[in-house]
Amino acid sequence: MEHKNYYAVLMAGGVGSRFWPLSKKAYPKQFHDMLGTGETLIQKTFSRLEQLIPAENIYILTNELYEDLVKEQLPKVEDRQIVLEPSMNNTAPCILLSSLKIQKENPEALMIVAPSDHWIEDEAAFIENVQASFDACQRDRELLMTLGIEPSFPHTGYGYIQYEEQDQTAIKKVINFTEKPDYATAKTFLKEGNYVWNAGIFIWSAKAILSAFETHLPEMYSLFSAGMKDYNTESEKAFIEKNYSKSENISIDYGIMEKSEKVSVLPANFDWNDLGSWGSLYDKLEKDEKDNVVVNARSYMENASGNIVRTTKGKTVVLKDLNEYIVVENEEVLLICPKSDEQEIKSLRNSVKEKFGEELI
């Protein structure tokens, strides 16, 4: 089936600091084979979307630092499909820029915006949900869609989306967004039943999202729409370098989704993990009889359980009397940290930077 009006924007500009020391500023997690599948996360995401969207319509949003990595790992992608951010200004500016470029190329475009580093096992269910969302946005060209994940426990690290309970259709009208709640609040959300996790996957027509920017972030819209004549031409780069850093640092959630009254959510049918930390990776990988996860290394474990070990290939790791730890090594850094303290890895990384310098992070 021809889907020439279908487009995708893969967001691949993050540093992945909670996966330090494997994920470094110069080589972040989306360019690593985190799951040991033989494909990096960005390669896996690209091939998943390519099942529905023509390869030439998949845009990669990333930082200037990662242009060469994108070209190396995604050889199908042409220069015109790589949208480079000269500064990290959160998700709203880069989504606006890519939406303007896509709308100029195809005014009838329908778009999915998705992170490049998430884990989705049931790809057929994912494609089915994306198709249903595209169909809804085709019917209502003002609709802003997001995919929500049915919560399996009261997670405090995810945002939540509340939808209208009495809505009997598969696609629900959104009432409210809540950023990372405390445990008691998350438990209440699960009990109420009309809440889903915010996966950060969005679907809309180019027309709808640009109209929403014009309404809710008019200064940013004015700044970027002034470059319409330059987009998809040789003068685009100069315009972006001159103007991009002037944009407000704000997420698409805060800037658009939480303000618009045209937002709906489709509770998804697929398993999902945002792979945001070593603990989330541990949850998804195969474990030995003592619940240890080992990636790349050969291991000998004595009275050791619940650990995640990841090293450079061929390393032999011996653990004795160590339980529930993260043991991660690259060529320059060895990290040994209790799994219960995984949220502190980001601050540890910053402390190492202060003491030893930028090159280690």
PDB file of all heavy atoms in Angstrom, residues 18 20-21 278 306-308 322-328 334-346 348:
ATOM      1  N   ARG A  18      21.720   8.699  32.114  1.00  0.00           N
ATOM      2  CA  ARG A  18      21.490   7.663  33.132  1.00  0.00           C
ATOM      3  C   ARG A  18      22.103   6.322  32.731  1.00  0.00           C
ATOM      4  O   ARG A  18      22.121   5.386  33.520  1.00  0.00           O
ATOM      5  CB  ARG A  18      19.994   7.518  33.414  1.00  0.00           C
ATOM      6  CG  ARG A  18      19.424   8.679  34.208  1.00  0.00           C
ATOM      7  CD  ARG A  18      17.962   8.511  34.571  1.00  0.00           C
ATOM      8  NE  ARG A  18      17.488   9.636  35.338  1.00  0.00           N
ATOM      9  CZ  ARG A  18      17.035  10.769  34.828  1.00  0.00           C
ATOM     10  NH1 ARG A  18      17.010  10.929  33.523  1.00  0.00           N
ATOM     11  NH2 ARG A  18      16.616  11.754  35.603  1.00  0.00           N
ATOM     12  N   TRP A  20      25.246   6.258  31.621  1.00  0.00           N
ATOM     13  CA  TRP A  20      26.691   6.441  31.742  1.00  0.00           C
ATOM     14  C   TRP A  20      27.251   5.288  32.582  1.00  0.00           C
ATOM     15  O   TRP A  20      26.586   4.789  33.478  1.00  0.00           O
ATOM     16  CB  TRP A  20      26.943   7.797  32.419  1.00  0.00           C
ATOM     17  CG  TRP A  20      28.386   8.141  32.589  1.00  0.00           C
ATOM     18  CD1 TRP A  20      29.231   8.631  31.636  1.00  0.00           C
ATOM     19  CD2 TRP A  20      29.167   7.991  33.779  1.00  0.00           C
ATOM     20  NE1 TRP A  20      30.476   8.810  32.158  1.00  0.00           N
ATOM     21  CE2 TRP A  20      30.471   8.413  33.483  1.00  0.00           C
ATOM     22  CE3 TRP A  20      28.901   7.524  35.063  1.00  0.00           C
ATOM     23  CZ2 TRP A  20      31.503   8.396  34.398  1.00  0.00           C
ATOM     24  CZ3 TRP A  20      29.921   7.503  36.001  1.00  0.00           C
ATOM     25  CH2 TRP A  20      31.203   7.932  35.669  1.00  0.00           C
ATOM     26  N   PRO A  21      28.456   4.784  32.312  1.00  0.00           N
ATOM     27  CA  PRO A  21      29.454   5.307  31.370  1.00  0.00           C
ATOM     28  C   PRO A  21      29.361   4.749  29.947  1.00  0.00           C
ATOM     29  O   PRO A  21      30.139   5.136  29.097  1.00  0.00           O
ATOM     30  CB  PRO A  21      30.767   4.882  32.019  1.00  0.00           C
ATOM     31  CG  PRO A  21      30.441   3.592  32.695  1.00  0.00           C
ATOM     32  CD  PRO A  21      29.031   3.739  33.185  1.00  0.00           C
ATOM     33  N   TRP A 278      19.508   1.853  33.768  1.00  0.00           N
ATOM     34  CA  TRP A 278      20.021   0.473  33.811  1.00  0.00           C
ATOM     35  C   TRP A 278      18.977  -0.485  34.374  1.00  0.00           C
ATOM     36  O   TRP A 278      18.870  -1.633  33.942  1.00  0.00           O
ATOM     37  CB  TRP A 278      21.303   0.419  34.638  1.00  0.00           C
ATOM     38  CG  TRP A 278      22.477   1.042  33.946  1.00  0.00           C
ATOM     39  CD1 TRP A 278      23.123   2.198  34.274  1.00  0.00           C
ATOM     40  CD2 TRP A 278      23.136   0.548  32.772  1.00  0.00           C
ATOM     41  NE1 TRP A 278      24.134   2.460  33.378  1.00  0.00           N
ATOM     42  CE2 TRP A 278      24.172   1.460  32.444  1.00  0.00           C
ATOM     43  CE3 TRP A 278      22.950  -0.569  31.961  1.00  0.00           C
ATOM     44  CZ2 TRP A 278      25.009   1.280  31.351  1.00  0.00           C
ATOM     45  CZ3 TRP A 278      23.778  -0.755  30.864  1.00  0.00           C
ATOM     46  CH2 TRP A 278      24.797   0.169  30.572  1.00  0.00           C
ATOM     47  N   GLY A 306      20.867 -10.853  41.083  1.00  0.00           N
ATOM     48  CA  GLY A 306      20.162  -9.607  40.783  1.00  0.00           C
ATOM     49  C   GLY A 306      21.017  -8.507  40.206  1.00  0.00           C
ATOM     50  O   GLY A 306      20.627  -7.342  40.223  1.00  0.00           O
ATOM     51  N   ASN A 307      22.204  -8.861  39.679  1.00  0.00           N
ATOM     52  CA  ASN A 307      23.110  -7.841  39.137  1.00  0.00           C
ATOM     53  C   ASN A 307      22.908  -7.663  37.635  1.00  0.00           C
ATOM     54  O   ASN A 307      22.461  -8.580  36.940  1.00  0.00           O
ATOM     55  CB  ASN A 307      24.571  -8.257  39.389  1.00  0.00           C
ATOM     56  CG  ASN A 307      24.865  -8.416  40.871  1.00  0.00           C
ATOM     57  OD1 ASN A 307      24.803  -7.473  41.631  1.00  0.00           O
ATOM     58  ND2 ASN A 307      25.181  -9.651  41.287  1.00  0.00           N
ATOM     59  N   ILE A 308      23.255  -6.482  37.133  1.00  0.00           N
ATOM     60  CA  ILE A 308      23.374  -6.281  35.699  1.00  0.00           C
ATOM     61  C   ILE A 308      24.823  -5.912  35.397  1.00  0.00           C
ATOM     62  O   ILE A 308      25.383  -4.991  36.012  1.00  0.00           O
ATOM     63  CB  ILE A 308      22.397  -5.217  35.142  1.00  0.00           C
ATOM     64  CG1 ILE A 308      22.630  -5.022  33.629  1.00  0.00           C
ATOM     65  CG2 ILE A 308      22.471  -3.890  35.894  1.00  0.00           C
ATOM     66  CD1 ILE A 308      21.533  -4.253  32.922  1.00  0.00           C
ATOM     67  N   LEU A 322      28.097 -10.255  45.814  1.00  0.00           N
ATOM     68  CA  LEU A 322      27.580  -8.964  45.334  1.00  0.00           C
ATOM     69  C   LEU A 322      26.165  -9.170  44.823  1.00  0.00           C
ATOM     70  O   LEU A 322      25.921 -10.029  43.973  1.00  0.00           O
ATOM     71  CB  LEU A 322      28.471  -8.415  44.209  1.00  0.00           C
ATOM     72  CG  LEU A 322      28.285  -6.929  43.882  1.00  0.00           C
ATOM     73  CD1 LEU A 322      28.812  -6.063  45.022  1.00  0.00           C
ATOM     74  CD2 LEU A 322      28.993  -6.559  42.580  1.00  0.00           C
ATOM     75  N   ASN A 323      25.238  -8.399  45.362  1.00  0.00           N
ATOM     76  CA  ASN A 323      23.830  -8.569  45.013  1.00  0.00           C
ATOM     77  C   ASN A 323      23.179  -7.231  44.684  1.00  0.00           C
ATOM     78  O   ASN A 323      23.420  -6.236  45.364  1.00  0.00           O
ATOM     79  CB  ASN A 323      23.082  -9.217  46.191  1.00  0.00           C
ATOM     80  CG  ASN A 323      23.652 -10.572  46.551  1.00  0.00           C
ATOM     81  OD1 ASN A 323      23.497 -11.538  45.815  1.00  0.00           O
ATOM     82  ND2 ASN A 323      24.334 -10.639  47.686  1.00  0.00           N
ATOM     83  N   GLU A 324      22.369  -7.263  43.613  1.00  0.00           N
ATOM     84  CA  GLU A 324      21.582  -6.081  43.223  1.00  0.00           C
ATOM     85  C   GLU A 324      22.461  -4.879  42.881  1.00  0.00           C
ATOM     86  O   GLU A 324      22.232  -3.767  43.331  1.00  0.00           O
ATOM     87  CB  GLU A 324      20.580  -5.703  44.331  1.00  0.00           C
ATOM     88  CG  GLU A 324      19.592  -6.800  44.693  1.00  0.00           C
ATOM     89  CD  GLU A 324      18.599  -7.102  43.571  1.00  0.00           C
ATOM     90  OE1 GLU A 324      18.251  -6.182  42.810  1.00  0.00           O
ATOM     91  OE2 GLU A 324      18.176  -8.263  43.455  1.00  0.00           O
ATOM     92  N   TYR A 325      23.484  -5.116  42.055  1.00  0.00           N
ATOM     93  CA  TYR A 325      24.398  -4.041  41.651  1.00  0.00           C
ATOM     94  C   TYR A 325      24.401  -3.855  40.131  1.00  0.00           C
ATOM     95  O   TYR A 325      24.085  -4.767  39.365  1.00  0.00           O
ATOM     96  CB  TYR A 325      25.831  -4.348  42.119  1.00  0.00           C
ATOM     97  CG  TYR A 325      26.169  -3.708  43.445  1.00  0.00           C
ATOM     98  CD1 TYR A 325      25.654  -4.212  44.638  1.00  0.00           C
ATOM     99  CD2 TYR A 325      26.984  -2.578  43.517  1.00  0.00           C
ATOM    100  CE1 TYR A 325      25.951  -3.624  45.856  1.00  0.00           C
ATOM    101  CE2 TYR A 325      27.280  -1.981  44.732  1.00  0.00           C
ATOM    102  CZ  TYR A 325      26.765  -2.503  45.901  1.00  0.00           C
ATOM    103  OH  TYR A 325      27.053  -1.904  47.099  1.00  0.00           O
ATOM    104  N   ILE A 326      24.781  -2.655  39.738  1.00  0.00           N
ATOM    105  CA  ILE A 326      25.081  -2.318  38.343  1.00  0.00           C
ATOM    106  C   ILE A 326      26.599  -2.325  38.219  1.00  0.00           C
ATOM    107  O   ILE A 326      27.291  -1.620  38.959  1.00  0.00           O
ATOM    108  CB  ILE A 326      24.538  -0.919  37.981  1.00  0.00           C
ATOM    109  CG1 ILE A 326      23.013  -0.867  38.135  1.00  0.00           C
ATOM    110  CG2 ILE A 326      24.955  -0.512  36.575  1.00  0.00           C
ATOM    111  CD1 ILE A 326      22.445   0.550  38.206  1.00  0.00           C
ATOM    112  N   VAL A 327      27.118  -3.119  37.286  1.00  0.00           N
ATOM    113  CA  VAL A 327      28.563  -3.166  37.030  1.00  0.00           C
ATOM    114  C   VAL A 327      28.744  -2.912  35.533  1.00  0.00           C
ATOM    115  O   VAL A 327      28.423  -3.760  34.700  1.00  0.00           O
ATOM    116  CB  VAL A 327      29.178  -4.531  37.419  1.00  0.00           C
ATOM    117  CG1 VAL A 327      30.673  -4.534  37.144  1.00  0.00           C
ATOM    118  CG2 VAL A 327      28.885  -4.841  38.888  1.00  0.00           C
ATOM    119  N   VAL A 328      29.209  -1.720  35.189  1.00  0.00           N
ATOM    120  CA  VAL A 328      29.303  -1.310  33.792  1.00  0.00           C
ATOM    121  C   VAL A 328      30.695  -0.766  33.509  1.00  0.00           C
ATOM    122  O   VAL A 328      31.227   0.025  34.288  1.00  0.00           O
ATOM    123  CB  VAL A 328      28.257  -0.231  33.439  1.00  0.00           C
ATOM    124  CG1 VAL A 328      28.324   0.112  31.963  1.00  0.00           C
ATOM    125  CG2 VAL A 328      26.859  -0.697  33.797  1.00  0.00           C
ATOM    126  N   LEU A 334      34.995   2.383  34.858  1.00  0.00           N
ATOM    127  CA  LEU A 334      34.297   1.270  35.482  1.00  0.00           C
ATOM    128  C   LEU A 334      33.350   1.848  36.529  1.00  0.00           C
ATOM    129  O   LEU A 334      33.778   2.567  37.429  1.00  0.00           O
ATOM    130  CB  LEU A 334      35.287   0.304  36.150  1.00  0.00           C
ATOM    131  CG  LEU A 334      34.675  -0.759  37.077  1.00  0.00           C
ATOM    132  CD1 LEU A 334      33.794  -1.726  36.289  1.00  0.00           C
ATOM    133  CD2 LEU A 334      35.775  -1.513  37.821  1.00  0.00           C
ATOM    134  N   LEU A 335      32.053   1.537  36.421  1.00  0.00           N
ATOM    135  CA  LEU A 335      31.053   1.995  37.388  1.00  0.00           C
ATOM    136  C   LEU A 335      30.514   0.794  38.159  1.00  0.00           C
ATOM    137  O   LEU A 335      30.088  -0.196  37.549  1.00  0.00           O
ATOM    138  CB  LEU A 335      29.902   2.692  36.655  1.00  0.00           C
ATOM    139  CG  LEU A 335      28.670   3.016  37.511  1.00  0.00           C
ATOM    140  CD1 LEU A 335      28.949   4.187  38.442  1.00  0.00           C
ATOM    141  CD2 LEU A 335      27.450   3.310  36.648  1.00  0.00           C
ATOM    142  N   ILE A 336      30.534   0.872  39.472  1.00  0.00           N
ATOM    143  CA  ILE A 336      29.927  -0.142  40.333  1.00  0.00           C
ATOM    144  C   ILE A 336      28.988   0.604  41.274  1.00  0.00           C
ATOM    145  O   ILE A 336      29.428   1.436  42.073  1.00  0.00           O
ATOM    146  CB  ILE A 336      30.993  -0.919  41.127  1.00  0.00           C
ATOM    147  CG1 ILE A 336      31.996  -1.564  40.166  1.00  0.00           C
ATOM    148  CG2 ILE A 336      30.344  -1.974  42.018  1.00  0.00           C
ATOM    149  CD1 ILE A 336      33.212  -2.169  40.857  1.00  0.00           C
ATOM    150  N   CYS A 337      27.679   0.318  41.154  1.00  0.00           N
ATOM    151  CA  CYS A 337      26.686   1.129  41.852  1.00  0.00           C
ATOM    152  C   CYS A 337      25.488   0.263  42.224  1.00  0.00           C
ATOM    153  O   CYS A 337      25.042  -0.552  41.400  1.00  0.00           O
ATOM    154  CB  CYS A 337      26.257   2.270  40.919  1.00  0.00           C
ATOM    155  SG  CYS A 337      24.872   3.267  41.476  1.00  0.00           S
ATOM    156  N   PRO A 338      24.939   0.394  43.435  1.00  0.00           N
ATOM    157  CA  PRO A 338      23.721  -0.350  43.773  1.00  0.00           C
ATOM    158  C   PRO A 338      22.575   0.000  42.816  1.00  0.00           C
ATOM    159  O   PRO A 338      22.396   1.162  42.446  1.00  0.00           O
ATOM    160  CB  PRO A 338      23.396   0.119  45.201  1.00  0.00           C
ATOM    161  CG  PRO A 338      24.663   0.686  45.729  1.00  0.00           C
ATOM    162  CD  PRO A 338      25.396   1.243  44.558  1.00  0.00           C
ATOM    163  N   LYS A 339      21.818  -1.013  42.408  1.00  0.00           N
ATOM    164  CA  LYS A 339      20.682  -0.752  41.525  1.00  0.00           C
ATOM    165  C   LYS A 339      19.701   0.233  42.159  1.00  0.00           C
ATOM    166  O   LYS A 339      19.068   1.021  41.460  1.00  0.00           O
ATOM    167  CB  LYS A 339      19.967  -2.064  41.184  1.00  0.00           C
ATOM    168  CG  LYS A 339      20.559  -2.754  39.962  1.00  0.00           C
ATOM    169  CD  LYS A 339      20.141  -4.183  39.786  1.00  0.00           C
ATOM    170  CE  LYS A 339      18.667  -4.439  39.936  1.00  0.00           C
ATOM    171  NZ  LYS A 339      18.354  -5.889  39.868  1.00  0.00           N
ATOM    172  N   SER A 340      19.598   0.189  43.465  1.00  0.00           N
ATOM    173  CA  SER A 340      18.663   1.082  44.159  1.00  0.00           C
ATOM    174  C   SER A 340      19.065   2.550  44.034  1.00  0.00           C
ATOM    175  O   SER A 340      18.249   3.440  44.260  1.00  0.00           O
ATOM    176  CB  SER A 340      18.573   0.701  45.640  1.00  0.00           C
ATOM    177  OG  SER A 340      19.850   0.768  46.248  1.00  0.00           O
ATOM    178  N   ASP A 341      20.312   2.801  43.669  1.00  0.00           N
ATOM    179  CA  ASP A 341      20.803   4.182  43.523  1.00  0.00           C
ATOM    180  C   ASP A 341      20.941   4.604  42.064  1.00  0.00           C
ATOM    181  O   ASP A 341      21.634   5.570  41.750  1.00  0.00           O
ATOM    182  CB  ASP A 341      22.174   4.342  44.210  1.00  0.00           C
ATOM    183  CG  ASP A 341      22.080   4.223  45.722  1.00  0.00           C
ATOM    184  OD1 ASP A 341      20.966   4.397  46.258  1.00  0.00           O
ATOM    185  OD2 ASP A 341      23.113   3.945  46.362  1.00  0.00           O
ATOM    186  N   GLU A 342      20.256   3.898  41.153  1.00  0.00           N
ATOM    187  CA  GLU A 342      20.489   4.161  39.724  1.00  0.00           C
ATOM    188  C   GLU A 342      20.120   5.586  39.319  1.00  0.00           C
ATOM    189  O   GLU A 342      20.696   6.127  38.377  1.00  0.00           O
ATOM    190  CB  GLU A 342      19.734   3.150  38.866  1.00  0.00           C
ATOM    191  CG  GLU A 342      18.229   3.283  38.942  1.00  0.00           C
ATOM    192  CD  GLU A 342      17.510   2.479  37.869  1.00  0.00           C
ATOM    193  OE1 GLU A 342      18.180   1.782  37.099  1.00  0.00           O
ATOM    194  OE2 GLU A 342      16.280   2.573  37.804  1.00  0.00           O
ATOM    195  N   GLN A 343      19.180   6.207  40.017  1.00  0.00           N
ATOM    196  CA  GLN A 343      18.803   7.569  39.654  1.00  0.00           C
ATOM    197  C   GLN A 343      19.908   8.578  39.985  1.00  0.00           C
ATOM    198  O   GLN A 343      19.858   9.726  39.558  1.00  0.00           O
ATOM    199  CB  GLN A 343      17.498   7.967  40.346  1.00  0.00           C
ATOM    200  CG  GLN A 343      16.279   7.176  39.890  1.00  0.00           C
ATOM    201  CD  GLN A 343      16.021   7.254  38.394  1.00  0.00           C
ATOM    202  OE1 GLN A 343      16.162   8.309  37.779  1.00  0.00           O
ATOM    203  NE2 GLN A 343      15.654   6.139  37.790  1.00  0.00           N
ATOM    204  N   GLU A 344      20.900   8.144  40.765  1.00  0.00           N
ATOM    205  CA  GLU A 344      22.009   9.038  41.119  1.00  0.00           C
ATOM    206  C   GLU A 344      23.150   8.991  40.097  1.00  0.00           C
ATOM    207  O   GLU A 344      24.126   9.744  40.228  1.00  0.00           O
ATOM    208  CB  GLU A 344      22.535   8.679  42.511  1.00  0.00           C
ATOM    209  CG  GLU A 344      21.517   8.919  43.623  1.00  0.00           C
ATOM    210  CD  GLU A 344      22.044   8.541  44.994  1.00  0.00           C
ATOM    211  OE1 GLU A 344      23.269   8.629  45.187  1.00  0.00           O
ATOM    212  OE2 GLU A 344      21.232   8.143  45.846  1.00  0.00           O
ATOM    213  N   ILE A 345      23.036   8.112  39.100  1.00  0.00           N
ATOM    214  CA  ILE A 345      24.119   7.977  38.124  1.00  0.00           C
ATOM    215  C   ILE A 345      24.336   9.288  37.364  1.00  0.00           C
ATOM    216  O   ILE A 345      25.474   9.673  37.080  1.00  0.00           O
ATOM    217  CB  ILE A 345      23.840   6.798  37.162  1.00  0.00           C
ATOM    218  CG1 ILE A 345      24.028   5.481  37.918  1.00  0.00           C
ATOM    219  CG2 ILE A 345      24.767   6.856  35.943  1.00  0.00           C
ATOM    220  CD1 ILE A 345      23.688   4.244  37.127  1.00  0.00           C
ATOM    221  N   LYS A 346      23.262   9.985  37.064  1.00  0.00           N
ATOM    222  CA  LYS A 346      23.382  11.262  36.344  1.00  0.00           C
ATOM    223  C   LYS A 346      24.225  12.252  37.148  1.00  0.00           C
ATOM    224  O   LYS A 346      25.105  12.934  36.598  1.00  0.00           O
ATOM    225  CB  LYS A 346      21.989  11.822  36.067  1.00  0.00           C
ATOM    226  CG  LYS A 346      21.959  13.019  35.146  1.00  0.00           C
ATOM    227  CD  LYS A 346      20.524  13.364  34.802  1.00  0.00           C
ATOM    228  CE  LYS A 346      20.468  14.523  33.816  1.00  0.00           C
ATOM    229  NZ  LYS A 346      19.080  14.850  33.433  1.00  0.00           N
ATOM    230  N   LEU A 348      26.358  11.453  39.574  1.00  0.00           N
ATOM    231  CA  LEU A 348      27.716  10.890  39.655  1.00  0.00           C
ATOM    232  C   LEU A 348      28.523  11.278  38.424  1.00  0.00           C
ATOM    233  O   LEU A 348      29.698  11.648  38.515  1.00  0.00           O
ATOM    234  CB  LEU A 348      27.653   9.360  39.743  1.00  0.00           C
ATOM    235  CG  LEU A 348      27.444   8.723  41.114  1.00  0.00           C
ATOM    236  CD1 LEU A 348      27.242   7.222  40.957  1.00  0.00           C
ATOM    237  CD2 LEU A 348      28.624   9.000  42.026  1.00  0.00           C
TER     238      LEU A 348
END
